[in-house]
Amino acid sequence: MYPDHPGYLPVERAVTVHQPTPITPAQTTPLVPMQPGSVPSVASVVLPDGRVVTGYAISPVQPEPLAAKPPVSRTAVNVALGGVGFLAVCGGLLLLTSFIAALTAFITELITLAAVIFGGWIAVQIFGASGHGGGNTFHIRKAVIKRNHFHG
């Protein structure tokens, strides 16, 4: 509710106070006195207009030698090696696919051969002319057929 609303009751809220943390002064290292032999020599230069400028001779800062760049960038080498690896994988997958197809054909041939051999064995068992059958054998020597009727 808003403060101008007739039923407004003020709500007490907790207030958090943050105290600033003092900053400690930076520690400075004491100056080390220079050895007498390491004091640079003073140089004077005469300018074209006749003024003389005196100061310490400062040796120029030598830039860091650049690392020798390879003749081919590393990115190009990485891309080329990735391409070689991809070709090797593709060749391996092609060989694997050929191997699976050959294995499938071989298993199919074995199943067909087993079916032919087993089917032939069953046919010999059924239609074979073995003399030790368990049924009755009838020998018909003379048959007379009269009026579509068999007399044996």
Side-chain angles (χ1 to χ4, degrees):
M1 291 202 253
Y2 298 101
D4 57 338
H5 193 272
Y8 174 74
L9 293 174
V11 178
E12 292 185 25
R13 300 191 193 274
V15 176
T16 305
V17 177
H18 296 283
Q19 296 294 331
T21 306
I23 299 174
T24 57
Q27 297 291 331
T28 59
T29 58
L31 293 176
V32 178
M34 296 182 75
Q35 300 298 327
S38 66
V39 175
S41 59
V42 177
S44 297
V45 177
V46 179
L47 297 176
D49 60 358
R51 292 181 295 166
V52 177
V53 179
T54 305
Y56 290 106
I58 299 173
S59 59
V61 178
Q62 298 292 331
E64 298 259 346
L66 295 175
K69 285 188 174 182
V72 179
S73 71
R74 290 184 180 187
T75 304
V77 171
N78 289 339
V79 168
L81 288 177
V84 170
F86 181 73
L87 288 176
V89 168
C90 287
L93 288 177
L94 182 64
L95 289 176
L96 182 65
T97 306
S98 301
F99 174 74
I100 291 173
L103 185 64
T104 304
F106 178 69
I107 291 173
T108 304
E109 290 290 328
L110 286 180
I111 291 173
T112 305
L113 180 65
V116 168
I117 291 174
F118 186 69
W121 183 76
I122 294 292
V124 167
Q125 295 299 318
I126 293 175
F127 300 114
S130 61
H132 56 78
N136 296 328
T137 304
F138 296 99
H139 297 284
I140 303 173
R141 295 188 182 191
K142 231 195 294 193
V144 177
I145 299 174
K146 291 184 180 176
R147 296 187 195 162
N148 295 330
H149 190 79
F150 176 76
H151 296 280

mmCIF file with all atom_site columns, all heavy atoms in Angstrom, residues 40 76 79 83 106 128 135:
data_model
loop_
_atom_site.group_PDB
_atom_site.id
_atom_site.type_symbol
_atom_site.label_atom_id
_atom_site.label_alt_id
_atom_site.label_comp_id
_atom_site.label_asym_id
_atom_site.label_entity_id
_atom_site.label_seq_id
_atom_site.pdbx_PDB_ins_code
_atom_site.Cartn_x
_atom_site.Cartn_y
_atom_site.Cartn_z
_atom_site.occupancy
_atom_site.B_iso_or_equiv
_atom_site.pdbx_formal_charge
_atom_site.auth_seq_id
_atom_site.auth_comp_id
_atom_site.auth_asym_id
_atom_site.auth_atom_id
_atom_site.pdbx_PDB_model_num
ATOM 1  N N   . PRO A 1 40  ? 76.216 6.122    -14.991 1.00 0.00 ? 40  PRO A N   1
ATOM 2  C CA  . PRO A 1 40  ? 76.453 6.408    -16.403 1.00 0.00 ? 40  PRO A CA  1
ATOM 3  C C   . PRO A 1 40  ? 77.264 7.701    -16.569 1.00 0.00 ? 40  PRO A C   1
ATOM 4  O O   . PRO A 1 40  ? 77.233 8.586    -15.729 1.00 0.00 ? 40  PRO A O   1
ATOM 5  C CB  . PRO A 1 40  ? 75.055 6.535    -16.981 1.00 0.00 ? 40  PRO A CB  1
ATOM 6  C CG  . PRO A 1 40  ? 74.175 6.810    -15.826 1.00 0.00 ? 40  PRO A CG  1
ATOM 7  C CD  . PRO A 1 40  ? 74.834 6.231    -14.618 1.00 0.00 ? 40  PRO A CD  1
ATOM 8  N N   . ALA A 1 76  ? 47.575 -23.746  -40.917 1.00 0.00 ? 76  ALA A N   1
ATOM 9  C CA  . ALA A 1 76  ? 47.566 -24.502  -42.176 1.00 0.00 ? 76  ALA A CA  1
ATOM 10 C C   . ALA A 1 76  ? 48.012 -25.934  -41.945 1.00 0.00 ? 76  ALA A C   1
ATOM 11 O O   . ALA A 1 76  ? 47.448 -26.881  -42.514 1.00 0.00 ? 76  ALA A O   1
ATOM 12 C CB  . ALA A 1 76  ? 48.473 -23.817  -43.196 1.00 0.00 ? 76  ALA A CB  1
ATOM 13 N N   . VAL A 1 79  ? 45.137 -27.820  -40.269 1.00 0.00 ? 79  VAL A N   1
ATOM 14 C CA  . VAL A 1 79  ? 44.066 -28.123  -41.224 1.00 0.00 ? 79  VAL A CA  1
ATOM 15 C C   . VAL A 1 79  ? 44.484 -29.275  -42.132 1.00 0.00 ? 79  VAL A C   1
ATOM 16 O O   . VAL A 1 79  ? 43.703 -30.201  -42.401 1.00 0.00 ? 79  VAL A O   1
ATOM 17 C CB  . VAL A 1 79  ? 43.700 -26.861  -42.046 1.00 0.00 ? 79  VAL A CB  1
ATOM 18 C CG1 . VAL A 1 79  ? 42.815 -27.218  -43.226 1.00 0.00 ? 79  VAL A CG1 1
ATOM 19 C CG2 . VAL A 1 79  ? 43.023 -25.841  -41.157 1.00 0.00 ? 79  VAL A CG2 1
ATOM 20 N N   . GLY A 1 83  ? 42.774 -32.955  -42.424 1.00 0.00 ? 83  GLY A N   1
ATOM 21 C CA  . GLY A 1 83  ? 42.310 -33.537  -43.682 1.00 0.00 ? 83  GLY A CA  1
ATOM 22 C C   . GLY A 1 83  ? 42.872 -34.926  -43.906 1.00 0.00 ? 83  GLY A C   1
ATOM 23 O O   . GLY A 1 83  ? 42.167 -35.840  -44.345 1.00 0.00 ? 83  GLY A O   1
ATOM 24 N N   . PHE A 1 106 ? 29.073 -64.124  -47.019 1.00 0.00 ? 106 PHE A N   1
ATOM 25 C CA  . PHE A 1 106 ? 29.617 -65.415  -46.604 1.00 0.00 ? 106 PHE A CA  1
ATOM 26 C C   . PHE A 1 106 ? 28.635 -66.164  -45.701 1.00 0.00 ? 106 PHE A C   1
ATOM 27 O O   . PHE A 1 106 ? 28.402 -67.363  -45.878 1.00 0.00 ? 106 PHE A O   1
ATOM 28 C CB  . PHE A 1 106 ? 30.953 -65.192  -45.879 1.00 0.00 ? 106 PHE A CB  1
ATOM 29 C CG  . PHE A 1 106 ? 31.580 -66.457  -45.374 1.00 0.00 ? 106 PHE A CG  1
ATOM 30 C CD1 . PHE A 1 106 ? 32.088 -67.390  -46.265 1.00 0.00 ? 106 PHE A CD1 1
ATOM 31 C CD2 . PHE A 1 106 ? 31.661 -66.709  -44.020 1.00 0.00 ? 106 PHE A CD2 1
ATOM 32 C CE1 . PHE A 1 106 ? 32.664 -68.553  -45.809 1.00 0.00 ? 106 PHE A CE1 1
ATOM 33 C CE2 . PHE A 1 106 ? 32.230 -67.872  -43.555 1.00 0.00 ? 106 PHE A CE2 1
ATOM 34 C CZ  . PHE A 1 106 ? 32.737 -68.798  -44.445 1.00 0.00 ? 106 PHE A CZ  1
ATOM 35 N N   . GLY A 1 128 ? 14.013 -92.209  -50.178 1.00 0.00 ? 128 GLY A N   1
ATOM 36 C CA  . GLY A 1 128 ? 15.046 -93.214  -50.420 1.00 0.00 ? 128 GLY A CA  1
ATOM 37 C C   . GLY A 1 128 ? 14.456 -94.610  -50.562 1.00 0.00 ? 128 GLY A C   1
ATOM 38 O O   . GLY A 1 128 ? 13.437 -94.953  -49.975 1.00 0.00 ? 128 GLY A O   1
ATOM 39 N N   . GLY A 1 135 ? 6.761  -100.367 -42.933 1.00 0.00 ? 135 GLY A N   1
ATOM 40 C CA  . GLY A 1 135 ? 5.401  -100.591 -43.431 1.00 0.00 ? 135 GLY A CA  1
ATOM 41 C C   . GLY A 1 135 ? 5.273  -101.930 -44.168 1.00 0.00 ? 135 GLY A C   1
ATOM 42 O O   . GLY A 1 135 ? 6.196  -102.734 -44.223 1.00 0.00 ? 135 GLY A O   1
#
